[in-house]
Amino acid sequence: MTGRWLELAGGVFARRYAELDLTVGLVVGAERALVIDTRGDGTQGAELARAVREVTALPLAVAITHGHFDHCFGTAGLLAEAGAGGGRTPVYAHHGCAGWLRDNIEPQRSHWVGYYRKRGDKESAAALAEAEVLLPDTPVEYEAEVDLGGRVATLLHPGRGHTDHDLAVHLPDCGVVFAGDLVEEGAPPAFEDADPLRWPDALDALLTLRPERVVPGHGEPVSAGFVAGQRAELITLAELCRGVLAGELAKSDVEAISPYPLSTTQMALSRI
């Protein structure tokens, strides 16, 4: 359950968890702190809140990178445990996130409760089954600035990629970008709800920010060079997918030469 903080710059933290290799974030300003993603159920969200309160007592804002359960089903638990800390806590997300999440709460819950039960993890299954899921209430269309006091966090939608509603968090003062699952370290990208043809363009948008550190939704923080390498793989896969759409390649051809494992490639092909 417990995680570990990595300080990437003054007041900028990534928190790493062994469960699902998840990475969330915390950015501390002079007047407010921003929590980036809230974990996967109420118990996990409460654990994150306690960890945040060990770092700062400031009022909070929350940014959700996308609607997959492991990134946002913990919001209610986090807010209940952390307290308002001086007023309403806005929960930011791309404007498409709330609707997508509303339609996909129960399918995700059912799938992942089954996953944890099969794994023999009754505690996680029960926590997820009982989790209250709060929808984000402060939509971002393309870009928004959150003034934390002496530091501005820029929330931006770099385009369709891992989902159609990805949101990244850019900290211009220190060159850190929290990318959510647009970037994966330690595992291939996940395509279950992805747009394989446009994902490289989303990474282009992130690289245009010239980040010094990029925090993936899963895995350790990485360099811009790592992101460029993932972008190159995604370009290769996108070109192969376009070959299938043009009738120039069979799906079996793509499976044989894809830069990704078979199951990942098959999922990407299912999305075109």
Side-chain angles (χ1 to χ4, degrees):
M1 279 296 298
T2 57
R4 57 186 173 91
W5 289 116
L6 304 174
E7 188 164 13
L8 306 178
V12 179
F13 303 87
R15 187 164 178 83
R16 297 279 291 116
Y17 292 94
E19 177 60 30
L20 299 180
D21 203 20
L22 185 73
T23 307
V24 301
L26 174 66
V27 182
V28 181
E31 299 171 3
R32 176 169 284 192
L34 178 67
V35 178
I36 303 162
D37 287 342
T38 60
R39 305 193 66 199
D41 61 46
T43 301
Q44 292 183 1
E47 182 279 333
L48 175 58
R50 291 190 292 272
V52 166
R53 286 305 184 215
E54 291 175 358
V55 176
T56 178
L58 288 170
L60 301 180
V62 174
I64 300 299
T65 61
H66 62 292
H68 288 159
F69 91 100
D70 47 331
H71 297 266
C72 65
F73 275 28
T75 302
L78 179 135
L79 296 183
E81 184 75 18
R88 170 182 171 270
T89 301
V91 181
Y92 295 90
H94 180 261
H95 70 89
C97 183
W100 186 93
L101 184 54
R102 186 183 299 111
D103 293 340
N104 288 279
I105 290 171
E106 295 312 320
Q108 291 193 85
R109 193 196 305 272
S110 176
H111 173 82
W112 286 96
V113 166
Y115 166 84
Y116 284 117
R117 284 175 177 163
K118 287 181 180 178
R119 206 171 75 170
D121 187 347
K122 296 180 180 179
E123 183 177 343
S124 293
L128 182 53
E130 298 167 1
E132 175 190 4
V133 181
L134 290 185
L135 300 179
D137 60 12
T138 309
V140 176
E141 185 169 6
Y142 296 111
E143 186 172 309
E145 292 186 344
V146 181
D147 188 352
L148 303 176
R151 159 176 277 156
V152 172
T154 302
L155 315 183
L156 62 122
H157 172 56
R160 299 168 65 98
H162 177 66
T163 69
D164 63 2
H165 57 272
D166 295 301
L167 191 75
V169 179
H170 178 216
L171 303 169
D173 65 326
C174 62
V176 174
V177 170
F178 289 85
D181 286 1
L182 284 166
V183 176
E184 291 267 7
E185 189 276 331
F191 288 93
E192 286 81 353
D193 298 297
D195 187 332
L197 302 182
R198 298 185 186 179
W199 197 333
D201 296 332
L203 294 191
D204 275 341
L206 296 185
L207 289 168
T208 298
L209 302 173
R210 299 185 180 279
E212 295 181 15
R213 303 289 296 279
V214 177
V215 182
H218 302 269
E220 297 285 341
V222 298
S223 67
F226 178 96
V227 178
Q230 184 179 307
R231 172 184 169 274
E233 292 176 343
L234 288 167
I235 287 173
T236 297
L237 181 61
E239 291 173 346
L240 293 172
C241 289
R242 290 189 176 95
V244 172
L245 292 173
E248 298 167 353
L249 290 172
K251 290 186 177 181
S252 59
D253 297 328
V254 176
E255 293 167 358
I257 60 177
S258 168
Y260 295 121
L262 178 60
S263 60
T264 300
T265 302
Q266 288 174 335
M267 182 58 67
L269 288 168
S270 76
R271 296 292 300 170
I272 63 174

